[in-house]
């Protein structure tokens, strides 16, 4: 089986087609042989019936030498009296009595319903099928040495005239036998039918089966090769794309089959890879730009202090360095968290979002942050990483606190299998044209949302990344109060029936 899997797919298809064809042709060969044999039986039966008629007519003409077998050497026959005893037989040797149970009893010699004892019509015939038992050598006279032991054979039975005692004495050599019918059994010689069937079967097995299997295997080889041409074209194109040209796409065949769908899916995957690569390059460029500024400020302050150490305010230099280092640390942590978000937000452990909201609001109030008004707080358990879920909530509150004029509102509502977390502020708000851009990395919309407010441009990008990692969405919508910004995170509720 392992070796079969290692074979090329065209060869496997050709072998499978050849094997299936061989099986089918083998069954067809058997069926054709059987039909050929059956077609040859009626003429053989007719010949046996004619021989039975001739034997029946010849019985009265027997002389005392009983030379009937010499007159019909081509026939195997048995003559039986009404009591089941043998009158005469030809080409049957051995335990002849072993055939009696299958041939006797016979039909009555006279009609039992006729008081006058009218003789049954001459020519009543029938067929007797039996399997030749062991100990009986039954041969076809024109096939010397043909032993039929164990084979199914057919006898044609012919009921002749009623012969008197004199005729029966001539036939059997026995005196005093009552008048009775002598029944003739003639073996149906099916040798010709069997030879014809064997000839047909041999021809089919010798020529049709191997040539047919080879032909079908060749057709399968060619058809599979033709069907795999688009796959080979896709492979060659993928090899070129792998060389670095991600703008190329694989050819899509016109067929609507699995290969066509494979090509479409491959192109869609390449599109996503190209987008991911472009996004990665943009992230690297943006991160380099964002990191360059605090590093430059930190190095500049240290260079100036080192150039004039006697005039440097070293406590101030240290504070500046610590502030720069803290900003670098926050930015690095955000970048690492942003990388972690993809595919790692969902866990087996349930996290109560409503408890996280209560804890964060209490912590912010204790640290002197701007208080938030809770409009609604439904209970919600999510299969989410607690750190990421807490970061999503914290970034939303940080964003609202950073730009709110006087008021922050928060609500958590669960309806129809969906949870909506809404955080709104009464600050400068977000223009409708920028409500999608605000979730992009390192995006600062205007002068009111710059580095002086402490933002790195990754907060809302993290919010959307975490929300999408949980199967939800994050969006900026028109505020219900008509002022400020309103951010909504929609998350699916586990176990809810949609």
């Amino acid at each position: 089986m392992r070796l079969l899997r290692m074979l090329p797919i065209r060869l496997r298809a050709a072998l499978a087609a050849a094997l299936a064809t061989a099986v089918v042709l083998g069954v067809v060969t058997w069926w054709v042989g059987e039909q050929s044999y059956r077609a040859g039986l009626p003429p053989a039966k007719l010949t046996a019936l004619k021989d039975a008629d001739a034997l029946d007519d010849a019985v009265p003409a027997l002389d005392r030498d009983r030379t009937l077998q010499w007159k019909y050497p081509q026939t195997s026959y048995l003559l039986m009296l009404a009591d089941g005893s043998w009158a005469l037989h030809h080409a049957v040797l051995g335990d002849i009595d072993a055939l009696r149970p299958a041939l006797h009893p016979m039909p009555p010699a006279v009609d039992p319903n006729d008081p006058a004892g009218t003789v049954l019509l001459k020519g009543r015939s029938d067929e007797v099928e039996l399997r030749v038992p062991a100990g009986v050598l039954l041969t076809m006279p024109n096939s010397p040495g043909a032993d039929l032991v164990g084979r199914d054979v057919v006898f044609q039975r012919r009921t002749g005239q009623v012969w008197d005692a004199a005729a029966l004495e001539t036939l059997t050599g026995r005196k005093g036998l009552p008048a009775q019918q002598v029944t003739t059994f003639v073996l149906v010689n099916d040798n010709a039918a069997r030879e014809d069937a064997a000839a047909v079967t041999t021809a089919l097995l010798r020529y049709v089966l191997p040539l047919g299997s080879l032909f079908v295997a060749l057709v399968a080889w060619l058809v599979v090769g033709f069907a795999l041409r688009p796959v080979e074209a896709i492979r060659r194109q993928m090899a070129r794309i792998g060389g670095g040209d991600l703008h190329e796409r694989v050819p899509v065949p016109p067929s609507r089959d699995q290969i066509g769908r494979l090509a479409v899916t491959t192109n869609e995957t390449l599109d996503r890879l190209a987008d991911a690569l472009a996004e990665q390059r943009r992230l690297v460029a943006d991160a380099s730009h964002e990191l360059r500024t605090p590093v430059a400020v930190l190095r500049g302050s240290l260079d100036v202090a080192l150039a004039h150490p006697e005039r440097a305010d070293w406590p101030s230099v240290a504070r500046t360095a610590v502030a720069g280092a803290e900003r670098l640390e926050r930015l690095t942590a955000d970048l690492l968290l942003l990388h972690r978000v993809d595919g790692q937000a969902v866990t087996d452990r349930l996290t109560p979002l409503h408890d996280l909201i209560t804890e964060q609001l209490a912590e912010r109030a204790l640290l002197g942050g701007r208080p938030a008004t809770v409009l609604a707080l439904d209970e919600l358990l999510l299969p989410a990483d607690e750190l990421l879920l807490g970061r999503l909530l914290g970034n939303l509150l940080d964003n609202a606190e950073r730009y709110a004029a006087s008021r922050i509102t928060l609500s958590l509502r669960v309806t129809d299998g969906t949870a909506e977390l809404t955080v709104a502020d009464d600050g400068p708000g977000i223009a409708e044209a920028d409500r999608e851009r605000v979730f992009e990395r390192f995006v600062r919309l205007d002068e009111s949302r710059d580095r002086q407010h402490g933002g790195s441009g990754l907060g809302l990008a993290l919010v959307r990344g975490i929300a999408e990692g949980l199967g939800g969405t994050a969006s900026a919508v028109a505020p219900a109060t008509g002022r400020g910004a309103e951010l909504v995170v929609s998350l699916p509720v586990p176990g809810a029936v949609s």
Side-chain angles (χ1 to χ4, degrees):
M1 203 62 186
R2 180 180 179 184
L3 179 62
L4 184 62
R5 291 195 208 98
M6 296 173 61
L7 296 177
I9 187 171
R10 294 181 69 184
L11 183 56
R12 278 186 284 166
L15 291 176
L19 179 60
T21 304
V23 171
V24 172
L25 289 181
V27 174
V28 170
T29 298
W30 171 84
W31 182 83
V32 170
E34 285 292 313
Q35 296 306 309
S36 176
Y37 175 73
R38 293 177 184 275
L41 275 182
K45 291 180 179 180
L46 183 60
T47 300
L49 194 57
K50 290 179 179 179
D51 288 343
D53 285 337
L55 282 165
D56 183 61
D57 293 337
V59 167
L62 285 174
D63 56 23
R64 291 192 177 275
D65 293 332
R66 297 189 294 168
T67 57
L68 187 63
Q69 61 267 37
W70 304 112
K71 296 181 180 180
Y72 300 95
Q74 77 283 3
T75 306
S76 295
Y77 60 84
L78 303 96
L79 301 183
M80 182 181 286
L81 301 181
D83 62 0
S85 61
W86 304 111
L88 192 65
H89 54 83
H90 175 56
V92 184
L93 303 174
D95 187 10
I96 184 66
D97 289 334
L99 292 176
R100 183 182 294 112
L103 304 179
H104 186 77
M106 299 172 296
V110 295
D111 186 353
N113 298 320
D114 186 353
T118 304
V119 177
L120 290 176
L121 293 178
K122 178 185 178 183
R124 175 170 179 171
S125 63
D126 202 352
E127 292 182 5
V128 179
E129 183 174 350
L130 57 87
R131 176 160 294 183
V132 179
V136 178
L137 182 60
L138 180 62
T139 63
M140 302 292 185
N142 57 349
S143 301
D147 188 356
L148 303 182
V149 173
R151 261 179 51 177
D152 291 331
V153 296
V154 176
F155 282 93
Q156 285 291 344
R157 180 170 59 194
R158 192 70 166 174
T159 304
Q161 303 180 38
V162 177
W163 308 113
D164 56 19
L168 292 174
E169 183 180 352
T170 302
L171 181 63
T172 65
R174 296 163 58 187
K175 296 181 180 181
L177 290 174
Q180 57 185 288
Q181 287 178 314
V182 177
T183 304
T184 305
F185 294 89
V186 177
L187 180 65
V188 176
N189 188 347
D190 63 350
N191 281 344
R194 290 184 181 274
E195 289 172 0
D196 292 343
V200 171
T201 301
T202 300
L204 290 175
L205 291 176
R206 182 174 296 176
Y207 302 108
V208 177
L209 190 148
L211 294 178
S213 301
L214 182 61
F215 174 75
V216 173
L218 180 61
V219 171
W221 173 277
L222 295 175
V223 169
V224 172
F226 180 78
L228 291 178
R229 283 183 182 177
V231 178
E232 177 61 20
I234 293 174
R235 187 202 64 79
R236 289 196 299 267
Q237 185 66 11
M238 286 296 293
R240 287 193 291 268
I241 294 173
D245 192 358
L246 292 179
H247 298 289
E248 293 286 339
R249 294 295 178 265
V250 301
V252 179
S255 59
R256 300 286 182 177
D257 55 8
Q258 290 86 345
I259 296 178
R261 293 195 292 271
L262 171 64
V264 172
T265 303
T266 300
N267 285 336
E268 292 174 351
T269 303
L270 289 173
D271 290 339
R272 289 193 292 270
L273 287 175
D275 293 342
L277 182 59
E279 180 68 15
Q280 184 182 29
R281 289 172 177 171
R282 189 171 69 85
L283 175 62
V284 172
D286 292 341
S288 300
H289 175 73
E290 292 293 327
L291 291 171
R292 187 180 297 115
T293 300
V295 170
V297 172
L298 179 60
R299 180 170 181 174
S301 63
L302 293 175
D303 285 344
V304 171
L306 290 174
H308 306 282
E310 70 283 355
R311 290 182 292 174
D313 184 359
W314 288 106
S316 176
V317 171
R319 285 192 295 271
T320 301
V322 169
E326 288 177 349
R327 180 167 183 178
L328 286 173
E329 183 181 7
R330 287 196 302 270
L331 186 57
T332 304
D334 285 346
L335 288 172
L336 292 174
L337 187 59
L338 192 64
H339 174 72
R340 177 188 171 191
V341 163
D342 296 335
Q344 299 187 28
V346 178
T347 65
D348 295 332
R349 182 179 178 182
L350 295 177
T351 300
L353 180 57
H354 54 285
D355 286 348
L356 280 180
I357 292 175
T358 302
E359 292 172 4
Q360 285 215 20
L361 292 180
E363 182 179 349
R364 288 170 182 271
L366 184 64
L367 296 176
R370 191 185 302 274
T373 302
V374 178
L375 302 181
L377 189 60
D378 296 344
E379 291 188 1
L380 177 62
L381 294 175
L382 292 175
D385 183 276
E386 184 175 354
L387 174 62
L388 294 180
L389 199 57
R391 190 59 180 272
L392 178 148
L393 176 62
N395 284 5
L396 288 175
L397 292 173
D398 286 344
N399 183 78
E401 186 173 340
R402 187 174 298 123
Y403 304 111
S406 60
R407 187 169 182 266
I408 298 174
T409 60
L410 181 148
S411 66
L412 175 62
R413 294 184 174 90
V414 180
T415 55
D416 298 330
T418 302
E420 284 195 354
L421 173 63
T422 303
V423 177
D425 63 71
D426 58 353
I430 304 172
E432 183 177 357
D434 295 327
R435 286 174 185 165
E436 184 64 24
R437 288 187 59 237
V438 75
F439 290 98
E440 296 179 6
R441 298 166 182 172
F442 302 112
V443 169
R444 299 179 182 86
L445 298 180
D446 51 38
E447 295 177 356
S448 63
R449 296 175 180 266
D450 57 14
R451 294 186 184 89
Q452 300 304 320
H453 289 79
S456 65
L458 291 176
L460 294 184
L462 279 170
V463 168
R464 171 164 285 184
I466 296 171
E468 291 178 348
L470 295 172
T473 60
S475 59
V477 300
T481 60
R483 181 184 176 189
E486 185 171 328
L487 303 179
V488 179
V489 174
S490 297
L491 300 173
V493 177
V497 179
S498 58

